[in-house]
Amino acid sequence: MSPDTQSTTIPRHVRHGSNAGQPVSRRDGVLKVTGAATYAADNHPEGMLHAVIVPSTIARGRVRSLDVSAAKAHPGIVEVITPENRIPLHFDPNDKMPPFGFRVEVLQDDSVRYVNQPIAVVVAETLEAATEGARLLAPRYEEELPRTDLDNGERYDAEAVGVGAPAVTTAGDIDAGFAAATRVTEAEYYTPPQYHNAMEPHAVVAEWNGDHLTLDMPNQALRMSAASYAQYFGIPVENVLIRSPFLGGGFGSKAILNGPQILGILAARQVGRPVKLVLTRAQMYGPVGHRGRTWQKLRLGTDAEGKLTALHHTSIGATSSFDDFVEPAANTSLMLYASPAIRADHKGLRLDIGTPGPMRAPGEASGSAALEVAIDEAAQACGMDPLAFRLANYAETEPTSGRPYSSKALRECYEQGAASFGWSNRPLEPGTMRDENGFLVGWGMGTAVFPCPQFPAEARATLRADGTALVETGGVDMGQGAWTALAQLAAEALGLDLDQVEFHSGRSDLPDGGVAGGSGHTASAGQALSNAGSDVIAQLSEIAVNDPDSPLFGAGNIGVVAGEGRLYRRDDETRSETYAEILARAGRAELVGSGKSGRDPASADRFAMNSHGAVFAEVKVDPALMQVKVTRLVGAFAAGRVINPKLVRSQYYGGMIWGISFALQEEALADRRTGRIMNADLAEYHVPVNADVPEMEAILVPEVDPHVSPLGIKGVGEIGVTGTVGAIANAVWHATGIRVRKYPIRLEDLLARR
Amino acid sequence: MNRFDYIKPASVSEAVTEAARPGSAYLAAGTNMLDLMKVGVVGPERIIDVTGLPGLADIEWLTDGSVRIGALVRNSDLAYDTRFAETFPMVAEALLSGASAQLRNAATVGGNLMQRTRCAYFLDPASACNKREPGSGCDAREGENRLHAVIGFTEHCIAVHPSDFCVPLVALGAEVEVESLDGKRTIPLAEFHLLPGDTPHVETALRPGELITGLKLPAQAAAFSGHARYLKLRERTSYAFAVVSAAAALDMADGRIRQARIALGGVAAKPWRAEEAEASLVGAEASPSVFARAGEIALAGAHPSGSNAFKIELARRIVARALALALEGTPEAMPALPASPFSTLSGETSGVAHVA
Amino acid sequence: MSLSISLAINGRKHDVALDDPRVTLLDLLRERLDLPGTKKGCDRGQCGACTVLIDGRRINSCLTLAASLDGAEITTIEGLSDGEDLHPVQAAFIEHDAFQCGYCTPGQIMSAVGLIKEGMAGDDPERVRELMSGNICRCGAYQGITEAVLEAQRKLADREKPATGKDAA
């Protein structure tokens, strides 16, 4: 069930206000707290079978044999799909499908390129049978020595990093910059492989009806995915319907096509019945992306006043043996600090692993985890307070281009965050604060930054005879609150109360809502919805001001204002009438408007555009046992216009919590000999639990941005991770005097030096 | 999960009769067993579900002051039993530091004793593991082993026992009651779990078909109720297994230590009682230095089994700290974060003093 | 081999003929009884998404064999609200934005209901955090969850003061 289903049996959502800018509670709240919100795997079409992936347990080699007869002997097994019998696809999975296609493993041959690659699919009447059938296949392999680390992987010059970003960027003369420095600080940093681990495992329920395909699946890019599946299966795109009303978290891992979901669809085609395929938690460590590990080096030159003269950031990023996604970590250094010379360069490292992909703040998370510590180290070397050092190197214009920022309230973020945290009481020297229980106390900070892209998106708005509206876009709610924030924007444009707007989203047969990624969905789909609403109001105004029977007649040059379901004469608000009245007299059953997202291309060229923030962290460290606990986190963020402060605050909290685990917990540990991840679960791959999370504060720093888009919205989904990691690492140093440059910071890293 | 026959006996005698048939395994709450079946580590053909057995879910106080805990008493029920928690506070604290509230609501006393190691190679059927498949080797030795054993391991196995509950229990001299077709017997907990030797697959002193029916804590164990703590280092604040843990209990008289109990978790294939360290404290005046020395003695025989040397130092320190906390006295209320080094932190932001 | 069990789920009696003893309570609810509100996050007791009440106690339904539950009373997220009236925990979760994606939410809410019944947290946020730590929320809605549990607990306590108060679950 999705929120557009107007239920009369449950009370309406809790409201504090209405429309844009108000902290409205989630419109989908009742569905989510009653268990009525349907996620992909909750669907169960008539005649459905269960499909289970058989994952490889080697990282490199080929599958020599599968005991298909043993599996088939198990009661309830319907089909065992292997490279030998799988039906053909209409697109070569070893090719990359534009625009963001990744190469996928869909049983095209018997080769194995990473651990947990699907090597067979078992389809059965029950989940229990399919699961056991998969085990009974007992694969045997021809195993080759896998490349699993920096010393045995193949280093190469990446053509591009991330999603098409340059691998090398230089601004100014870096050698001259270092020559001019009175001090150079240099250090290496390591960030480990991390896995998205959305709570909802990747799933698909696929149902074929002739050449028509219906998919229930969590998906961050509905129309793009529908087009891709159409190509894979050789059917027209209009024959593919993806329903994705709710995603149980995405974080980037549900934005890109992956092998298992394609195999689920294929299995349904092959057996001629609907099929549900859900990954196990362990199977999510491989075929559905991860944050690739990085080995970074930062070199900072500073002058006698503590101003940067040169900033050189290099990063080696691990990727797979067969695809190209490299974490664009070093590019973070292009965004933040003023320096006459900056250079960012990347190399790729080929390992026998699943291809990494975008994971919440790809590039900026890993990059700022290193950069923000390097900045702290440089401040320390200069004998400066870390905030003072950052202010001394504040970039008034984009460091690499000199372009002005479309808006940048980072200074205000520093001020407000520092004031709330009490930063001015921080002693410069580390290891000098204790609490009343004797724990070491440390305070650290980091700067947060994330770009604010605008993606193509479309929307439709229909004003109905009764004066209510239907608005539609194929938007995506993976927890950020699209069901609510997008509806607020549409309601605002339509001059209607939120409850007068029926919002349809989460389906690929609606106008293209674009991609939910890059923190740009609200800005993009919201702009499209807003423009669609404005289009309807313009049409309605046209009718009213030209209708002699309307109180608005003749207001053409003066104009009308829409609000509360009425149009008002701008110069005389006593003259107004309802939308329903205007439509009724015009004999119109409805008015349909459309809108697209978009940023003024001239603004896009003229201005640098980012969201910014400052995060302040307090940690306590047991002076003997060296266990670390984050005890306070204050983040102040400026990200343009805020549509729903309640939801925005939740995004910041979530990002900051990701920062806690990046700094202190998350690391997939692969066995060097086999490439198998030995903590591919949620018990030993640690993500934060409730007890890890302190009282947090997220300050929403006002920022008006007339250039980023007509609505002035930037984006909030990812930035919270970026400053927090460094802030915590710096706080650990401040508490202990120990600089750990390898994430996560572990007990033994601190213990060994104390 | 492999197919199996499901049997739900109505009595202990029926259960032990059923279990005598080959391929059988007992199932209690299943919080560990079902997980192992799902990942393919174990595959019994016959499951004997003991959860319905009568008479095994009681906490009985015997006239001599000892307590008998039925094997099916749930972890949370035991931890929240007021008399039990007051008498054996570090056992309650250990219980509440383990797993999650949901798992504690299900997991049983008997099941906890039978908990299997968290060694990733044991849990990965594709890896060599002498415990899972005798003679196959031990992939942990050259693998990801930063959390593996530092005491009592052999080249055949370096896994650790994961239980929190068993650590204070072994310190307090608990005994395990078992029953089979051959009758009943009692096994001291200290002898219940076995070190790997060259047979790491033999993990307990249980004979085939024996069923744990209960656990006893002797009356003398109550002497420590005023000075007893369990302390557990984890890589996140809660819902995590121990990196190392320690139970420490003191029986104090006139500022001197009359007797002491110390056991360690996360260091060996069994909950590790440190009797020599205990002896070093007897008659001593409590001080940081004697506690530090007790830590040294407790880890005297320790050495790394891999990239885990840090655990030895950590274990020394945690023994000293647990003793110091025990000396301060058992807290009046269970700490908000049981067994955490941060258990003294209140929920509110505490003040910060500058010492420099 | 077929096993017959009888369960009361959300107050309704279900006689289930199990064709397979391997079926967990979680898969019974989701795949066989059309009660998919309870979620599978890890299937190994490591995340709490599958939390339900069995005989009033919160447990992980993924690690419970359905066959062993003959005679048990189960409460799932679908059975928590009283018609149109949300349970105070449900209402507080909405009010405090105690979820984002919503996938862990049924488990969080059932766990919170269990926590309040257990009565061991008092009004101490740190105890709530600790006792809610068996429910992982990857979106990081923990601050709202803690606030929601405390508020719902207060409301339930207030409600129980008059003799006419409803049962917590």
Side-chain angles (χ1 to χ4, degrees):
Chain A
M1 204 187 293
S2 51
D4 60 77
T5 311
Q6 304 281 320
S7 170
T8 54
T9 59
I10 40 182
R12 276 212 285 216
H13 56 281
V14 181
R15 292 271 305 274
H16 288 297
S18 186
N19 299 4
Q22 299 300 310
V24 182
S25 290
R26 287 170 197 266
R27 291 186 106 199
D28 47 349
V30 170
L31 294 175
K32 282 181 174 172
V33 302
T34 56
T38 46
Y39 298 79
D42 299 346
N43 291 285
H44 201 124
E46 188 71 27
M48 187 191 82
L49 298 172
H50 293 267
V52 166
I53 291 283
V54 182
S56 71
T57 56
I58 66 163
R60 187 181 184 191
R62 57 176 285 272
V63 179
R64 209 175 65 213
S65 71
L66 293 165
D67 195 347
V68 174
S69 57
K72 283 194 164 170
H74 188 286
I77 304 289
V78 174
E79 182 62 287
V80 175
I81 305 174
T82 70
E84 286 183 17
N85 69 343
R86 87 122 156 89
I87 57 173
L89 289 167
H90 293 255
F91 184 85
D92 183 349
N94 291 320
D95 283 345
K96 289 163 80 75
M97 192 180 291
F100 301 124
F102 278 48
R103 299 187 173 99
V104 294
E105 310 70 44
V106 284
L107 309 179
Q108 56 263 48
D109 54 42
D110 64 4
S111 70
V112 176
R113 310 193 280 200
Y114 60 92
V115 170
N116 278 341
Q117 175 188 319
I119 56 171
V121 178
V122 177
V123 187
E125 297 286 350
T126 67
L127 179 58
E128 292 76 21
T131 304
E132 178 63 2
R135 195 181 69 86
L136 290 168
L137 282 177
R140 292 176 177 277
Y141 303 95
E142 269 176 34
E143 192 172 355
E144 291 174 56
L145 202 61
R147 296 157 293 183
T148 57
D149 211 338
L150 192 59
D151 56 10
N152 59 11
E154 175 201 332
R155 243 176 266 199
Y156 73 103
D157 289 316
E159 277 179 33
V161 293
V163 188
V168 180
T169 302
T170 305
D173 185 334
I174 197 82
D175 294 329
F178 281 113
T182 54
R183 182 181 279 109
V184 174
T185 53
E186 182 174 330
E188 293 184 16
Y189 304 87
Y190 172 74
T191 66
Q194 299 173 344
Y195 284 75
H196 305 76
N197 272 313
M199 293 316 295
E200 175 201 31
H202 293 67
V204 61
V205 176
E207 185 168 12
W208 288 90
N209 189 347
D211 268 351
H212 287 257
L213 173 62
T214 303
L215 299 173
D216 292 299
M217 67 189 311
N219 194 301
Q220 290 178 237
L222 292 163
R223 285 290 277 271
M224 200 161 70
S225 301
S228 303
Y229 291 128
Q231 281 200 60
Y232 271 107
F233 290 95
I235 57 175
V237 62
E238 57 272 20
N239 287 11
V240 180
L241 170 62
I242 301 178
R243 297 183 295 211
S244 182
F246 302 106
L247 292 83
F251 314 117
S253 75
K254 291 165 181 169
I256 286 162
L257 253 56
N258 59 71
Q261 282 169 319
I262 296 172
L263 285 170
I265 303 167
L266 182 148
R269 184 84 156 166
Q270 185 151 348
V271 300
R273 284 170 68 178
V275 159
K276 179 192 293 190
L277 185 147
V278 185
L279 290 188
T280 67
R281 180 59 51 182
Q283 290 169 359
M284 291 166 72
Y285 289 76
V288 292
H290 69 283
R291 194 194 303 281
R293 58 208 289 211
T294 65
W295 294 262
Q296 300 180 53
K297 188 159 121 183
L298 272 133
R299 224 174 148 225
L300 280 68
T302 44
D303 67 15
E305 276 80 51
K307 284 188 176 295
L308 288 167
T309 62
L311 170 56
H312 187 187
H313 192 161
T314 64
S315 179
I316 300 170
T319 191
S320 68
S321 64
F322 55 92
D323 216 329
D324 302 313
F325 190 94
V326 171
E327 188 79 1
N331 288 346
T332 311
S333 284
L334 307 175
M335 304 169 75
L336 264 180
Y337 298 105
S339 172
I342 303 182
R343 182 178 164 90
D345 50 56
H346 298 82
K347 284 202 184 305
L349 179 75
R350 296 209 177 278
L351 300 176
D352 294 304
I353 57 173
T355 307
M359 173 163 152
R360 202 173 196 173
E364 288 81 7
S366 310
S368 77
L371 172 63
E372 289 304 307
V373 176
I375 288 286
D376 205 65
E377 299 199 51
Q380 178 197 349
C382 295
M384 288 174 72
D385 171 80
L387 176 53
F389 184 84
R390 284 173 172 86
L391 287 169
N393 290 288
Y394 194 85
E396 303 290 353
T397 58
E398 188 176 45
T400 53
S401 71
R403 291 188 300 177
Y405 288 101
S406 60
S407 63
K408 181 178 177 181
L410 175 57
R411 209 181 286 282
E412 291 80 357
C413 294
Y414 286 140
E415 282 167 10
Q416 294 180 31
S420 177
F421 186 83
W423 181 261
S424 61
N425 294 323
R426 177 184 180 274
L428 208 53
E429 287 304 307
T432 58
M433 291 199 295
R434 297 247 180 171
D435 76 356
E436 70 277 11
N437 295 306
F439 293 113
L440 305 170
V441 180
W443 290 355
M445 69 167 295
T447 308
V449 66
F450 199 78
C452 40
Q454 174 101 180
F455 298 115
E458 297 172 9
R460 181 165 56 226
T462 306
L463 186 64
R464 298 184 289 211
D466 63 357
T468 66
L470 168 68
V471 296
E472 302 166 283
T473 190
V476 173
D477 199 326
M478 51 186 177
Q480 81 279 33
W483 279 116
T484 310
L486 293 182
Q488 284 178 272
L489 284 168
E492 179 188 59
L494 284 160
L496 287 171
D497 185 83
L498 187 55
D499 284 337
Q500 300 292 302
V501 175
E502 183 179 341
F503 178 37
H504 287 191
S505 180
R507 294 167 61 104
S508 66
D509 57 354
L510 297 173
D512 184 0
V515 182
S519 297
H521 193 47
T522 307
S524 308
Q527 188 66 59
L529 283 162
S530 181
N531 289 345
S534 300
D535 184 19
V536 165
I537 294 300
Q539 294 179 42
L540 187 69
S541 305
E542 183 72 13
I543 292 169
V545 300
N546 290 309
D547 180 352
D549 292 334
S550 169
L552 305 171
F553 179 68
N557 281 336
I558 296 155
V560 295
V561 180
E564 297 95 43
R566 306 178 76 90
L567 290 184
Y568 299 86
R569 250 184 92 110
R570 190 180 291 278
D571 60 343
D572 179 3
E573 293 205 348
T574 64
R575 294 167 70 178
S576 73
E577 66 179 331
T578 67
Y579 298 169
E581 286 165 345
I582 298 168
L583 288 173
R585 213 173 32 249
R588 298 290 293 268
E590 61 177 36
L591 281 181
V592 181
S594 63
K596 291 186 175 185
S597 63
R599 169 177 289 163
D600 175 7
S603 293
D605 287 341
R606 266 176 56 214
F607 296 104
M609 298 177 182
N610 295 318
S611 299
H612 295 93
V615 181
F616 298 83
E618 176 186 89
V619 302
K620 295 194 176 179
V621 184
D622 186 297
L625 305 174
M626 303 315 282
Q627 192 163 346
V628 178
K629 194 170 195 305
V630 178
T631 48
R632 279 200 300 147
L633 271 182
V634 175
F637 302 95
R641 186 171 168 212
V642 168
I643 303 309
N644 184 325
K646 191 171 192 167
L647 304 184
V648 164
R649 201 164 268 124
S650 288
Q651 286 300 296
Y652 291 146
Y653 289 154
M656 288 157 76
I657 290 171
W658 275 53
I660 294 178
S661 54
F662 192 126
L664 300 176
Q665 297 175 342
E666 293 188 48
E667 178 176 27
L669 288 165
D671 186 293
R672 274 182 59 87
R673 299 160 298 180
T674 63
R676 278 201 296 282
I677 295 168
M678 302 314 293
N679 59 346
D681 57 28
L682 285 174
E684 322 290 342
Y685 181 97
H686 287 155
V687 300
V689 296
N690 201 320
D692 287 311
V693 174
E695 296 277 346
M696 292 189 297
E697 184 183 4
I699 300 167
L700 278 50
V701 175
E703 190 178 64
V704 176
D705 193 320
H707 308 296
V708 71
S709 70
L711 286 172
I713 303 169
K714 288 181 169 178
V716 299
E718 297 168 84
I719 187 170
V721 192
T722 62
T724 310
V725 185
I728 293 170
N730 294 336
V732 169
W733 170 79
H734 190 241
T736 62
I738 301 169
R739 194 65 84 173
V740 181
R741 300 184 182 88
K742 173 171 78 62
Y743 293 104
I745 299 170
R746 291 192 182 278
L747 285 168
E748 58 260 48
D749 300 321
L750 300 173
L751 202 67
R753 286 146 70 179
R754 197 172 172 95
Chain B
M1 202 186 295
N2 62 291
R3 283 183 289 164
F4 55 82
D5 290 338
Y6 175 83
I7 296 130
K8 191 158 190 176
S11 67
V12 171
S13 65
E14 202 182 306
V16 298
T17 306
E18 287 288 353
R21 292 176 56 187
S24 300
Y26 293 117
L27 176 76
T31 51
N32 187 209
M33 180 74 164
L34 268 183
D35 183 34
L36 295 171
M37 291 165 70
K38 285 183 183 190
V39 297
V41 169
V42 296
E45 291 156 20
R46 306 176 74 247
I47 286 288
I48 320 292
D49 181 348
V50 298
T51 51
L53 297 183
L56 299 186
D58 300 320
I59 304 169
E60 287 172 71
W61 295 89
L62 307 182
T63 49
D64 67 351
S66 65
V67 63
R68 183 184 177 281
I69 307 149
L72 293 177
V73 172
R74 309 283 171 167
N75 285 187
S76 53
D77 290 339
L78 185 60
Y80 290 136
D81 182 277
T82 307
R83 183 170 174 190
F84 182 84
E86 281 174 7
T87 315
F88 308 109
M90 68 177 178
V91 182
E93 187 167 18
L95 280 168
L96 293 176
S97 74
S100 68
Q102 290 95 312
L103 289 164
R104 296 192 292 268
N105 273 344
T108 63
V109 161
N112 199 306
L113 265 51
M114 296 303 291
Q115 214 179 339
R116 310 289 298 273
T117 182
R118 300 295 308 175
C119 171
Y121 298 89
F122 171 72
L123 292 171
D124 172 28
S127 292
C129 171
N130 289 320
K131 193 181 269 303
R132 180 169 29 75
E133 200 181 330
S136 63
C138 172
D139 273 348
R141 285 182 59 207
E142 304 293 329
E144 289 298 325
N145 51 24
R146 52 183 286 278
L147 299 180
H148 281 69
V150 293
I151 299 177
F153 60 89
T154 64
E155 60 184 309
H156 304 287
C157 182
I158 62 172
V160 298
H161 194 258
S163 169
D164 293 303
F165 181 45
C166 291
V167 178
L169 284 181
V170 79
L172 294 176
E175 295 180 323
V176 186
E177 297 179 346
V178 303
E179 189 169 339
S180 70
L181 281 179
D182 298 333
K184 302 180 183 184
R185 65 182 183 122
T186 298
I187 308 167
L189 184 63
E191 293 162 24
F192 183 82
H193 298 105
L194 306 177
L195 290 176
D198 55 6
T199 56
H201 60 289
V202 185
E203 295 176 345
T204 71
L206 284 179
R207 296 172 192 147
E210 272 184 332
L211 175 71
I212 299 173
T213 53
L215 184 72
K216 269 182 77 173
L217 275 167
Q220 309 90 283
F224 300 96
S225 62
H227 295 276
R229 285 305 297 271
Y230 182 68
L231 191 57
K232 173 181 178 184
L233 274 180
R234 283 161 274 194
E235 301 202 296
R236 64 182 172 195
T237 307
S238 186
Y239 206 7
F241 289 92
V243 174
V244 293
S245 68
L250 298 170
D251 177 9
M252 299 297 298
D254 304 326
R256 289 194 174 271
I257 300 166
R258 186 152 50 197
Q259 47 173 342
R261 297 292 173 86
I262 301 168
L264 286 150
V267 298
K270 59 187 289 184
W272 189 262
R273 180 154 175 199
E275 286 177 297
E276 287 179 28
E278 292 172 3
S280 78
L281 294 172
V282 173
E285 204 168 312
S287 71
S289 64
V290 301
F291 290 162
R293 195 161 60 89
E296 297 286 338
I297 295 169
L299 276 296
H303 54 284
S305 61
S307 54
N308 57 358
F310 76 98
K311 285 182 67 171
I312 299 172
E313 179 57 23
L314 209 49
R316 286 187 191 113
R317 294 185 188 186
I318 202 170
V319 166
R321 174 69 64 79
L323 285 164
L325 290 174
L327 179 67
E328 283 177 24
T330 305
E332 292 217 349
M334 181 63 65
L337 301 174
S340 166
F342 296 107
S343 63
T344 50
L345 283 184
S346 76
E348 304 304 311
T349 305
S350 47
V352 170
H354 295 189
V355 294
Chain C
M1 169 175 168
S2 179
L3 292 154
S4 292
I5 56 168
S6 178
L7 297 167
I9 303 176
N10 300 329
R12 204 183 126 211
K13 189 164 179 275
H14 290 257
D15 292 312
V16 180
L18 273 181
D19 54 312
D20 192 328
R22 293 175 292 186
V23 179
T24 60
L25 173 59
L26 175 60
D27 289 330
L28 177 74
L29 294 169
R30 289 184 53 80
E31 305 296 344
R32 294 163 191 247
L33 298 180
D34 196 24
L35 288 168
T38 306
K39 297 293 182 265
K40 184 182 284 189
C42 71
D43 210 25
R44 300 184 60 188
Q46 300 171 352
C47 79
C50 68
T51 304
V52 300
L53 302 184
I54 299 182
D55 297 328
R57 298 159 67 101
R58 49 176 167 158
I59 61 94
N60 302 105
S61 61
C62 72
L63 288 182
T64 307
L65 282 185
S68 70
L69 291 173
D70 190 28
E73 282 187 25
I74 316 288
T75 308
T76 72
I77 191 71
E78 289 96 338
L80 200 57
S81 63
D82 180 6
E84 290 188 17
D85 290 334
L86 294 179
H87 186 282
V89 172
Q90 293 174 311
F93 264 62
I94 295 176
E95 173 65 23
H96 291 274
D97 211 34
F99 51 88
Q100 295 183 23
C101 81
Y103 194 80
C104 72
T105 309
Q108 299 276 2
I109 289 175
M110 298 315 293
S111 188
V113 171
L115 176 151
I116 293 168
K117 285 170 77 99
E118 289 158 13
M120 304 308 294
D123 57 1
D124 179 358
E126 191 79 327
R127 285 177 200 274
V128 171
R129 289 185 198 113
E130 162 63 25
L131 291 171
M132 287 299 292
S133 283
N135 293 84
I136 290 175
C137 169
R138 183 57 155 160
C139 297
Y142 292 126
Q143 184 137 321
I145 291 168
T146 303
E147 290 166 3
V149 173
L150 286 166
E151 179 186 294
Q153 184 171 258
R154 274 194 303 274
K155 289 207 166 147
L156 282 163
D158 290 346
R159 190 198 269 191
E160 276 173 15
K161 277 174 195 160
T164 54
K166 282 182 208 162
D167 184 50

